[in-house]
Amino acid sequence: MRGDHARFPTSKLVYFPTTGRDAINESSPLLDPDLPDLSALLQDLSFERNGYEIRVASGSDCLKRRAAKLIERMYSSRGLFPYGTMAEIDKRDVTVVALCGDDAVATLTVRMDFGNGLLADTLYSKEIDSARAIGGKVCEITQLALDPSSGNHDALAGLFQALYVIAQLTRRMTDIFIEVHPRHANFYQRIFGFKRIGGERICPRVGAPAVLLHLSQDEFERALARHERIEQRHNSRVSRLLPMKAHAQEVIEALSSR
């Protein structure tokens, strides 16, 4: 992928609970969608998944440093520029980390658009504006990295489970974008239902080719439906990468009771 993916093409999976762009779950604990500091509001989000502790790093200097070191190590090992690791995390950004003991083994960041745009707007503003023009609440996944020596599918699935929860709580994620390396695009399209909407260009942040992929709420719903049909296949790669709806709902209920 573009360099936001330092291991293999695993997605920035996000679950949308209902259909329609402005669908709202009224029973969910609400966050003011206009508040820019989502990270602070989500700092209590944490849970365990098959031996990995999944936490929101934003708001914790220690976790931010661990995530930055992981990104720098994984990106540099592939000859990519580890952009953003030395900068203050934007208050629109929510960084999620999978920990194995004290070590960060996987991380990704979700950026929501509060009027200042997305990183992907640099190359693909026209394509993203098409979603905005019809009321879409756009977001992107960036700085995705996995340490292959200690992280696995469960670590990544835990990150995606956290993103499921974030989508529920924030209501700011009806249209998800990701810039990926062209050779990884088919993976996202086949497993998660992404569609390629932007041609190949050079991403200036990492100095590598990229294409833009888009996942709408309805498209992701269809991917989850396919997931349900093959859930019993214990060795299925899909079942290890897609979030589990029931597990994520448990996290939401636990968070709302705090």
Side-chain angles (χ1 to χ4, degrees), residues 142-207:
T142 144
Q143 295 185 322
L144 176 57
L146 170 69
D147 183 348
S149 67
S150 54
N152 63 20
H153 291 92
D154 284 313
L156 286 166
L159 298 183
F160 302 157
Q161 186 173 329
L163 289 170
Y164 171 115
V165 174
I166 293 167
Q168 289 261 30
L169 297 178
T170 65
R171 309 174 186 175
R172 298 293 308 186
M173 303 167 71
T174 69
D175 290 84
I176 305 169
F177 295 91
I178 186 171
E179 295 167 286
V180 303
H181 194 285
R183 67 172 173 264
H184 295 155
N186 287 339
F187 172 86
Y188 288 92
Q189 293 171 303
R190 184 179 71 255
I191 301 297
F192 306 119
F194 281 89
K195 292 184 178 179
R196 178 169 170 170
I197 64 168
E200 182 174 334
R201 297 163 195 173
I202 298 298
C203 176
R205 291 183 299 281
V206 296

Side-chain angles (χ1 to χ4, degrees), residues 55-219:
R55 295 182 58 186
V56 170
S58 311
S60 167
D61 289 339
C62 179
L63 289 180
K64 285 190 288 186
R65 286 194 297 270
R66 294 180 196 176
K69 288 180 180 178
L70 174 64
I71 293 167
E72 184 173 10
R73 188 170 74 254
M74 293 297 101
Y75 281 37
S76 297
S77 69
R78 291 178 174 266
L80 302 172
F81 179 69
Y83 67 93
T85 57
M86 301 305 293
E88 283 295 317
I89 293 179
D90 192 296
K91 288 186 177 181
R92 295 170 294 160
D93 296 351
V94 180
T95 297
V96 183
V97 180
L99 300 167
C100 182
D102 292 330
D103 297 325
V105 298
T107 184
L108 56 75
T109 294
V110 57
R111 169 169 289 196
M112 300 170 217
D113 183 11
F114 287 92
N116 293 326
L118 305 177
L119 295 174
D121 278 309
T122 300
L123 296 179
Y124 300 105
S125 61
K126 181 178 179 180
E127 291 84 351
I128 298 171
D129 282 344
S130 295
R132 293 183 177 112
I134 56 175
K137 298 173 181 176
V138 302
C139 69
E140 66 185 345
I141 299 303
T142 144
Q143 295 185 322
L144 176 57
L146 170 69
D147 183 348
S149 67
S150 54
N152 63 20
H153 291 92
D154 284 313
L156 286 166
L159 298 183
F160 302 157
Q161 186 173 329
L163 289 170
Y164 171 115
V165 174
I166 293 167
Q168 289 261 30
L169 297 178
T170 65
R171 309 174 186 175
R172 298 293 308 186
M173 303 167 71
T174 69
D175 290 84
I176 305 169
F177 295 91
I178 186 171
E179 295 167 286
V180 303
H181 194 285
R183 67 172 173 264
H184 295 155
N186 287 339
F187 172 86
Y188 288 92
Q189 293 171 303
R190 184 179 71 255
I191 301 297
F192 306 119
F194 281 89
K195 292 184 178 179
R196 178 169 170 170
I197 64 168
E200 182 174 334
R201 297 163 195 173
I202 298 298
C203 176
R205 291 183 299 281
V206 296
V211 296
L212 183 70
L213 303 184
H214 168 250
L215 181 65
S216 71
Q217 179 173 329
D218 290 342
E219 289 161 349

